[in-house]
Coordinates of all heavy atoms in Angstrom, one line a residue:
M216 N 0.8 -1.2 0.0 CA 0.0 0.0 0.0 C 0.9 1.3 0.0 O 0.6 2.2 -0.7 CB -0.9 0.0 1.2 CG -1.8 1.1 1.3 SD -3.1 0.8 2.5 CE -3.7 2.4 2.7
F217 N 1.9 1.3 0.8 CA 2.9 2.4 0.8 C 4.2 2.0 0.2 O 4.5 0.8 0.1 CB 3.1 2.8 2.3 CG 1.9 3.3 3.0 CD1 1.3 2.5 4.0 CD2 1.3 4.5 2.7 CE1 0.2 3.0 4.6 CE2 0.2 5.0 3.3 CZ -0.4 4.2 4.3
S218 N 5.0 3.0 -0.1 CA 6.4 2.7 -0.6 C 7.2 2.1 0.6 O 6.9 2.3 1.7 CB 7.0 3.9 -1.2 OG 7.2 4.9 -0.1
K219 N 8.3 1.5 0.2 CA 9.2 1.0 1.3 C 9.7 2.1 2.2 O 9.7 1.9 3.4 CB 10.4 0.2 0.7 CG 9.9 -1.1 0.2 CD 11.1 -2.0 -0.2 CE 10.6 -3.3 -0.7 NZ 11.4 -4.4 -0.2
P220 N 10.1 3.3 1.7 CA 10.5 4.3 2.7 C 9.4 4.8 3.6 O 9.7 5.0 4.8 CB 11.0 5.5 1.7 CG 11.3 4.8 0.5 CD 10.4 3.7 0.3
V221 N 8.2 4.9 3.1 CA 7.1 5.3 4.0 C 6.8 4.2 5.0 O 6.6 4.5 6.2 CB 5.8 5.6 3.2 CG1 4.6 5.9 4.1 CG2 6.1 6.9 2.3
E222 N 6.8 2.9 4.6 CA 6.6 1.8 5.5 C 7.6 1.8 6.6 O 7.4 1.6 7.7 CB 6.5 0.5 4.8 CG 5.2 0.3 4.0 CD 5.1 -1.1 3.3 OE1 6.0 -1.9 3.5 OE2 4.1 -1.3 2.7
R223 N 8.9 2.0 6.2 CA 10.0 2.0 7.1 C 9.8 3.2 8.1 O 10.1 3.1 9.3 CB 11.3 2.1 6.4 CG 12.5 1.9 7.3 CD 12.4 0.5 7.9 NE 13.5 0.4 8.9 CZ 13.4 -0.1 10.2 NH1 12.2 -0.6 10.6 NH2 14.4 -0.1 11.0
A224 N 9.5 4.4 7.6 CA 9.2 5.5 8.5 C 8.1 5.3 9.5 O 8.2 5.6 10.7 CB 8.9 6.8 7.7
I225 N 7.1 4.6 9.1 CA 6.0 4.2 10.0 C 6.5 3.3 11.1 O 6.3 3.5 12.3 CB 4.8 3.6 9.2 CG1 4.1 4.6 8.3 CG2 3.8 2.9 10.2 CD1 3.2 3.9 7.3
A226 N 7.3 2.3 10.7 CA 7.9 1.4 11.7 C 8.8 2.1 12.6 O 8.7 1.8 13.9 CB 8.6 0.3 10.9
I227 N 9.7 2.9 12.1 CA 10.6 3.6 13.0 C 9.9 4.5 14.0 O 10.1 4.5 15.2 CB 11.6 4.4 12.2 CG1 12.6 3.5 11.5 CG2 12.4 5.4 13.1 CD1 13.5 4.2 10.4
A228 N 8.9 5.3 13.5 CA 8.1 6.2 14.3 C 7.4 5.4 15.4 O 7.3 5.8 16.6 CB 7.2 7.0 13.5
A229 N 6.8 4.3 15.0 CA 6.0 3.5 15.9 C 6.9 2.9 17.0 O 6.5 2.9 18.2 CB 5.3 2.3 15.2
I230 N 8.1 2.4 16.6 CA 9.0 1.9 17.6 C 9.5 3.0 18.6 O 9.5 2.8 19.8 CB 10.2 1.2 16.9 CG1 9.7 -0.1 16.2 CG2 11.3 0.9 17.9 CD1 10.7 -0.7 15.2
R231 N 9.9 4.1 18.0 CA 10.5 5.2 18.8 C 9.4 5.8 19.7 O 9.8 6.3 20.8 CB 11.1 6.3 17.9 CG 12.3 5.9 17.2 CD 13.4 5.8 18.2 NE 14.7 5.5 17.5 CZ 15.8 6.1 17.9 NH1 15.8 7.0 18.9 NH2 17.0 5.8 17.3
H232 N 8.2 5.9 19.3 CA 7.1 6.5 20.1 C 6.3 5.5 20.9 O 5.3 5.8 21.5 CB 6.2 7.3 19.3 CG 6.8 8.5 18.6 ND1 7.3 9.6 19.3 CD2 7.0 8.8 17.3 CE1 7.8 10.5 18.5 NE2 7.6 10.1 17.3
K233 N 6.8 4.2 21.0 CA 5.9 3.1 21.5 C 5.4 3.3 22.9 O 4.3 2.9 23.2 CB 6.7 1.8 21.4 CG 7.8 1.6 22.4 CD 8.4 0.3 22.2 CE 9.6 0.1 23.0 NZ 10.3 0.0 23.9
D234 N 6.1 4.0 23.8 CA 5.6 4.1 25.2 C 5.1 5.5 25.4 O 4.8 5.9 26.6 CB 6.8 3.8 26.2 CG 7.2 2.4 26.1 OD1 6.4 1.5 25.9 OD2 8.4 2.1 26.2
Q235 N 4.9 6.3 24.4 CA 4.4 7.7 24.6 C 2.9 7.8 24.3 O 2.4 7.1 23.5 CB 5.2 8.6 23.7 CG 6.7 8.7 24.0 CD 7.4 9.5 23.0 OE1 7.0 9.7 21.8 NE2 8.6 9.9 23.3
V236 N 2.3 8.7 25.0 CA 0.9 9.0 24.8 C 0.7 10.5 24.5 O 1.6 11.3 24.8 CB 0.0 8.6 26.0 CG1 0.0 7.1 26.1 CG2 0.4 9.3 27.2
R237 N -0.4 10.9 23.9 CA -0.7 12.3 23.7 C -0.9 13.0 25.0 O -1.5 12.4 25.9 CB -2.0 12.5 22.8 CG -1.9 11.8 21.4 CD -1.0 12.6 20.4 NE -1.2 14.0 20.3 CZ -1.9 14.6 19.4 NH1 -2.4 13.9 18.4 NH2 -2.0 15.9 19.4
K238 N -0.6 14.3 25.1 CA -0.7 15.0 26.3 C -2.1 15.0 26.8 O -3.1 15.2 26.1 CB -0.3 16.5 26.1 CG 1.2 16.6 25.9 CD 1.6 18.1 25.7 CE 3.1 18.2 25.4 NZ 3.5 19.6 25.1
G239 N -2.3 14.7 28.1 CA -3.6 14.7 28.7 C -4.5 13.6 28.4 O -5.7 13.7 28.6
S240 N -4.0 12.5 27.8 CA -4.8 11.4 27.4 C -4.1 10.1 27.5 O -2.9 10.1 27.8 CB -5.3 11.6 25.9 OG -4.3 11.4 25.0
R241 N -4.7 9.1 27.1 CA -4.1 7.8 27.0 C -4.0 7.3 25.5 O -3.7 6.2 25.2 CB -4.9 6.7 27.8 CG -4.8 7.0 29.3 CD -5.4 5.9 30.1 NE -6.8 5.9 29.8 CZ -7.6 4.9 30.3 NH1 -7.1 3.9 31.0 NH2 -8.9 4.9 30.0
V242 N -4.2 8.3 24.6 CA -4.1 8.0 23.2 C -2.6 7.8 22.8 O -1.8 8.7 23.1 CB -4.8 9.1 22.3 CG1 -4.6 8.9 20.9 CG2 -6.2 9.3 22.7
P243 N -2.3 6.7 22.1 CA -0.9 6.6 21.7 C -0.4 7.8 20.9 O -1.1 8.3 20.0 CB -0.9 5.3 20.9 CG -2.1 4.6 21.4 CD -3.1 5.6 21.7
F244 N 0.9 8.2 21.2 CA 1.4 9.4 20.5 C 1.5 9.1 19.0 O 1.4 10.1 18.2 CB 2.8 9.7 21.0 CG 3.3 11.0 20.4 CD1 2.9 12.2 20.9 CD2 4.2 11.0 19.3 CE1 3.4 13.4 20.4 CE2 4.7 12.1 18.8 CZ 4.3 13.3 19.3
I245 N 1.7 7.9 18.5 CA 1.9 7.6 17.1 C 0.7 8.2 16.3 O 0.9 8.5 15.1 CB 2.1 6.1 16.8 CG1 2.6 5.9 15.4 CG2 0.9 5.3 17.2 CD1 3.9 6.4 15.0
T246 N -0.4 8.4 16.9 CA -1.5 8.9 16.1 C -1.2 10.3 15.6 O -1.7 10.7 14.6 CB -2.8 9.0 17.0 OG1 -2.6 9.8 18.1 CG2 -3.3 7.6 17.4
H247 N -0.4 11.1 16.3 CA 0.0 12.4 15.9 C 0.7 12.4 14.5 O 0.3 13.0 13.6 CB 0.7 13.2 17.0 CG 1.3 14.5 16.5 ND1 0.5 15.5 16.0 CD2 2.6 14.9 16.3 CE1 1.4 16.5 15.6 NE2 2.6 16.1 15.8
P248 N 1.9 11.8 14.5 CA 2.6 11.8 13.2 C 1.8 11.1 12.0 O 1.9 11.6 10.9 CB 3.9 11.1 13.4 CG 3.8 10.4 14.8 CD 2.7 11.1 15.5
V249 N 1.0 10.1 12.4 CA 0.2 9.5 11.3 C -0.9 10.5 10.8 O -1.1 10.6 9.6 CB -0.5 8.2 11.8 CG1 -1.5 7.7 10.9 CG2 0.6 7.1 12.0
H250 N -1.4 11.3 11.7 CA -2.4 12.3 11.3 C -1.7 13.4 10.4 O -2.3 13.8 9.4 CB -3.0 13.0 12.6 CG -4.0 14.0 12.2 ND1 -3.9 15.3 12.6 CD2 -5.2 13.9 11.6 CE1 -4.9 16.0 12.1 NE2 -5.7 15.2 11.5
V251 N -0.5 13.8 10.8 CA 0.2 14.8 10.0 C 0.5 14.2 8.6 O 0.3 14.9 7.6 CB 1.5 15.2 10.7 CG1 2.3 16.1 9.8 CG2 1.2 15.9 12.0
A252 N 0.9 13.0 8.6 CA 1.2 12.3 7.3 C -0.1 12.2 6.4 O 0.0 12.4 5.2 CB 1.8 11.0 7.5
T253 N -1.2 11.9 7.1 CA -2.5 11.9 6.4 C -2.8 13.2 5.7 O -3.2 13.2 4.5 CB -3.6 11.4 7.3 OG1 -3.3 10.1 7.9 CG2 -4.9 11.4 6.6
M254 N -2.6 14.3 6.4 CA -2.9 15.6 5.9 C -1.9 15.9 4.7 O -2.3 16.4 3.7 CB -2.7 16.7 6.9 CG -3.8 16.7 8.0 SD -3.8 18.0 9.1 CE -2.2 17.9 9.9
I255 N -0.7 15.5 4.8 CA 0.3 15.7 3.8 C -0.1 14.9 2.5 O -0.1 15.4 1.4 CB 1.7 15.2 4.2 CG1 2.2 16.1 5.3 CG2 2.7 15.1 3.1 CD1 2.5 17.5 5.0
A256 N -0.5 13.6 2.7 CA -1.0 12.8 1.6 C -2.2 13.4 0.9 O -2.3 13.4 -0.3 CB -1.3 11.4 2.1
R257 N -3.1 13.9 1.7 CA -4.3 14.5 1.1 C -4.0 15.7 0.2 O -4.8 16.1 -0.7 CB -5.3 14.9 2.2 CG -6.0 13.8 2.8 CD -7.0 14.2 3.9 NE -7.7 13.0 4.4 CZ -8.3 13.0 5.6 NH1 -8.4 14.1 6.3 NH2 -8.9 11.9 6.0
H258 N -2.9 16.4 0.5 CA -2.5 17.5 -0.3 C -1.6 17.1 -1.5 O -1.1 17.9 -2.2 CB -1.7 18.6 0.6 CG -2.7 19.4 1.4 ND1 -3.1 19.0 2.6 CD2 -3.2 20.6 1.1 CE1 -3.9 19.9 3.1 NE2 -4.0 20.9 2.2
G259 N -1.5 15.8 -1.7 CA -0.8 15.3 -2.8 C 0.7 15.4 -2.8 O 1.3 15.2 -3.9
L260 N 1.3 15.6 -1.7 CA 2.7 15.6 -1.6 C 3.3 14.2 -1.6 O 2.6 13.2 -1.3 CB 3.2 16.4 -0.3 CG 2.7 17.8 -0.3 CD1 3.0 18.4 1.1 CD2 3.4 18.6 -1.4
G261 N 4.5 14.1 -2.0 CA 5.1 12.8 -2.3 C 5.7 12.1 -1.0 O 5.5 12.5 0.1
D262 N 6.4 11.0 -1.3 CA 6.9 10.1 -0.3 C 7.9 10.8 0.7 O 7.9 10.5 1.9 CB 7.5 8.8 -0.9 CG 6.5 7.8 -1.3 OD1 5.3 8.1 -1.1 OD2 6.9 6.8 -1.9
D263 N 8.7 11.7 0.1 CA 9.7 12.4 1.0 C 9.0 13.2 2.0 O 9.4 13.2 3.2 CB 10.6 13.3 0.1 CG 11.6 12.5 -0.7 OD1 11.8 11.3 -0.5 OD2 12.2 13.1 -1.6
A264 N 7.9 13.9 1.7 CA 7.1 14.6 2.6 C 6.4 13.7 3.6 O 6.3 14.1 4.8 CB 6.1 15.5 1.9
L265 N 6.0 12.6 3.2 CA 5.3 11.6 4.1 C 6.3 11.1 5.1 O 6.0 11.0 6.3 CB 4.7 10.5 3.4 CG 3.5 10.8 2.5 CD1 3.1 9.6 1.7 CD2 2.4 11.3 3.4
V266 N 7.5 10.8 4.7 CA 8.6 10.3 5.6 C 8.9 11.4 6.6 O 9.0 11.1 7.8 CB 9.8 9.9 4.8 CG1 11.0 9.7 5.7 CG2 9.5 8.6 4.0
I267 N 9.1 12.6 6.2 CA 9.3 13.7 7.1 C 8.2 13.9 8.1 O 8.5 14.1 9.3 CB 9.6 15.0 6.3 CG1 10.9 14.9 5.5 CG2 9.6 16.3 7.2 CD1 11.1 16.0 4.4
A268 N 7.0 13.9 7.6 CA 5.8 14.0 8.5 C 5.8 12.9 9.6 O 5.6 13.2 10.8 CB 4.5 14.0 7.7
L269 N 6.1 11.7 9.2 CA 6.1 10.6 10.1 C 7.2 10.6 11.1 O 7.0 10.2 12.3 CB 6.2 9.2 9.4 CG 4.9 8.9 8.6 CD1 5.2 7.9 7.5 CD2 3.8 8.4 9.5
L270 N 8.3 11.2 10.8 CA 9.5 11.2 11.7 C 9.7 12.6 12.3 O 10.7 12.7 13.1 CB 10.7 10.8 10.9 CG 10.7 9.4 10.3 CD1 11.9 9.2 9.4 CD2 10.6 8.3 11.3
H271 N 8.8 13.5 12.1 CA 9.1 14.9 12.5 C 9.3 15.1 14.0 O 10.0 16.0 14.5 CB 8.1 15.9 12.0 CG 6.8 15.9 12.7 ND1 5.8 15.1 12.5 CD2 6.4 16.7 13.7 CE1 4.8 15.4 13.3 NE2 5.1 16.3 14.1
D272 N 8.8 14.2 14.9 CA 9.0 14.4 16.3 C 10.0 13.4 16.9 O 10.2 13.4 18.1 CB 7.6 14.2 17.0 CG 6.8 15.5 17.0 OD1 7.4 16.6 17.0 OD2 5.5 15.3 16.9
V273 N 10.5 12.5 16.1 CA 11.4 11.5 16.6 C 12.6 12.0 17.4 O 12.9 11.6 18.5 CB 11.8 10.5 15.5 CG1 12.9 9.5 16.0 CG2 10.6 9.7 15.0
V274 N 13.3 12.9 16.8 CA 14.5 13.5 17.5 C 14.1 14.2 18.7 O 14.7 13.9 19.8 CB 15.3 14.4 16.5 CG1 16.4 15.1 17.3 CG2 15.9 13.6 15.3
E275 N 13.2 15.1 18.6 CA 12.8 15.9 19.8 C 12.2 15.0 21.0 O 12.5 15.3 22.1 CB 11.7 16.9 19.4 CG 11.2 17.7 20.5 CD 10.1 18.7 20.0 OE1 9.7 18.7 18.8 OE2 9.6 19.4 20.9
D276 N 11.5 14.0 20.6 CA 10.8 13.3 21.7 C 11.4 12.0 22.1 O 10.9 11.3 23.1 CB 9.3 13.0 21.2 CG 8.5 14.2 21.1 OD1 8.9 15.3 21.6 OD2 7.5 14.2 20.4
T277 N 12.4 11.5 21.4 CA 12.9 10.2 21.7 C 14.5 10.1 21.9 O 15.0 9.1 22.2 CB 12.5 9.1 20.6 OG1 13.2 9.4 19.4 CG2 11.1 9.1 20.4
C278 N 15.1 11.2 21.7 CA 16.6 11.3 21.8 C 17.0 12.1 23.0 O 16.7 13.3 23.0 CB 17.2 11.8 20.6 SG 17.1 10.8 19.1
D279 N 17.5 11.4 24.0 CA 17.9 12.1 25.3 C 19.3 12.6 25.3 O 19.7 13.4 26.2 CB 17.6 11.2 26.5 CG 16.2 10.8 26.6 OD1 15.3 11.7 26.3 OD2 15.9 9.7 27.1
S280 N 20.1 12.2 24.4 CA 21.5 12.6 24.4 C 22.1 12.7 23.0 O 21.4 12.3 22.0 CB 22.3 11.5 25.2 OG 22.3 10.3 24.4
K281 N 23.3 13.2 22.9 CA 24.0 13.2 21.6 C 24.2 11.8 21.0 O 24.1 11.6 19.8 CB 25.3 14.0 21.7 CG 25.2 15.5 21.8 CD 26.5 16.1 21.8 CE 26.4 17.6 22.0 NZ 27.7 18.3 22.0
A282 N 24.5 10.9 21.9 CA 24.7 9.5 21.5 C 23.4 9.0 20.8 O 23.4 8.3 19.8 CB 25.1 8.6 22.6
D283 N 22.2 9.3 21.5 CA 20.9 8.9 20.9 C 20.7 9.5 19.5 O 20.2 8.8 18.6 CB 19.8 9.3 21.8 CG 19.6 8.5 23.1 OD1 20.3 7.4 23.2 OD2 18.9 8.9 24.0
R284 N 21.0 10.8 19.4 CA 20.8 11.4 18.1 C 21.8 10.8 17.0 O 21.3 10.6 15.9 CB 21.1 12.9 18.3 CG 19.9 13.6 19.0 CD 20.0 15.1 19.0 NE 21.2 15.7 19.7 CZ 21.2 15.9 21.1 NH1 20.1 15.6 21.8 NH2 22.2 16.4 21.7
R285 N 23.0 10.6 17.4 CA 23.9 9.9 16.5 C 23.4 8.6 16.0 O 23.5 8.2 14.8 CB 25.3 9.8 17.1 CG 26.1 11.1 17.1 CD 27.5 10.9 17.5 NE 28.0 12.1 18.1 CZ 28.3 12.4 19.4 NH1 28.1 11.4 20.3 NH2 28.7 13.5 19.8
A286 N 22.9 7.8 17.0 CA 22.4 6.5 16.6 C 21.2 6.6 15.7 O 21.1 5.8 14.7 CB 22.0 5.7 17.9
L287 N 20.3 7.5 16.0 CA 19.2 7.7 15.1 C 19.6 8.2 13.7 O 19.1 7.6 12.7 CB 18.2 8.8 15.7 CG 17.0 9.1 14.8 CD1 16.1 7.9 14.6 CD2 16.3 10.3 15.4
I288 N 20.6 9.1 13.6 CA 21.1 9.5 12.3 C 21.7 8.3 11.5 O 21.4 8.2 10.4 CB 22.1 10.7 12.5 CG1 21.4 11.9 12.9 CG2 22.9 10.9 11.2 CD1 22.3 13.0 13.4
A289 N 22.4 7.5 12.2 CA 23.0 6.3 11.6 C 21.9 5.4 11.1 O 22.0 4.9 10.0 CB 23.9 5.6 12.5
E290 N 20.9 5.2 11.9 CA 19.7 4.3 11.5 C 19.0 4.9 10.3 O 18.8 4.1 9.4 CB 18.8 4.2 12.7 CG 17.6 3.3 12.4 CD 16.6 3.2 13.6 OE1 16.8 3.9 14.6 OE2 15.6 2.5 13.4
L291 N 18.7 6.1 10.3 CA 18.0 6.8 9.2 C 18.9 6.8 8.0 O 18.4 6.6 6.9 CB 17.5 8.2 9.6 CG 16.5 8.2 10.7 CD1 16.2 9.7 11.1 CD2 15.2 7.5 10.4
S292 N 20.2 7.0 8.1 CA 21.1 7.1 6.9 C 21.1 5.7 6.3 O 21.2 5.6 5.0 CB 22.5 7.5 7.4 OG 22.4 8.8 7.9
A293 N 21.1 4.7 7.1 CA 21.1 3.3 6.5 C 19.8 3.0 5.8 O 19.8 2.2 4.8 CB 21.4 2.3 7.6
E294 N 18.7 3.6 6.3 CA 17.4 3.2 5.7 C 17.0 4.1 4.5 O 16.3 3.6 3.6 CB 16.3 3.5 6.8 CG 16.4 2.5 8.0 CD 16.2 1.1 7.6 OE1 15.4 0.8 6.6 OE2 16.8 0.2 8.2
F295 N 17.4 5.4 4.5 CA 16.9 6.3 3.5 C 18.1 6.7 2.7 O 18.3 7.6 2.0 CB 16.1 7.4 4.1 CG 15.0 7.0 4.9 CD1 15.0 6.9 6.3 CD2 13.8 6.5 4.3 CE1 14.0 6.5 7.1 CE2 12.8 6.1 5.1 CZ 12.8 6.1 6.4

């Protein structure tokens, strides 16, 4: 249904946000980047924009240190 990069971005975002919930609720946080990606798709933007939408909070919300950021960059560089 989705391209490999988009499927991989969904998987990375889901794994990285797995224990997070939306503020003030018990709704899984992954709903936020998926909602953003849905809006991007409805506007006809391509896979690159979808990947960015899906991953836009990963660094801010899942990396606690420079080492975490470096590991994420290495993971994303290998994938994309």
Side-chain angles (χ1 to χ4, degrees):
M216 182 168 168
F217 298 108
S218 69
K219 285 191 179 219
V221 171
E222 287 184 2
R223 189 64 187 132
I225 293 167
I227 290 169
I230 290 165
R231 290 288 185 141
H232 292 299
K233 70 178 173 62
D234 296 323
Q235 298 174 339
V236 294
R237 300 290 308 261
K238 290 179 185 176
S240 75
R241 293 187 294 171
V242 175
F244 185 83
I245 191 64
T246 61
H247 169 64
V249 169
H250 181 243
V251 173
T253 300
M254 290 188 301
I255 294 295
R257 285 183 180 161
H258 282 86
L260 299 172
D262 284 355
D263 289 346
L265 291 174
V266 169
I267 291 166
L269 290 161
L270 298 175
H271 79 273
D272 281 324
V273 171
V274 173
E275 178 183 358
D276 295 342
T277 71
C278 293
D279 296 328
S280 67
K281 285 185 180 181
D283 287 344
R284 289 188 293 277
R285 284 189 203 107
L287 176 62
I288 289 167
E290 179 181 2
L291 295 176
S292 295
E294 295 296 330
F295 303 102

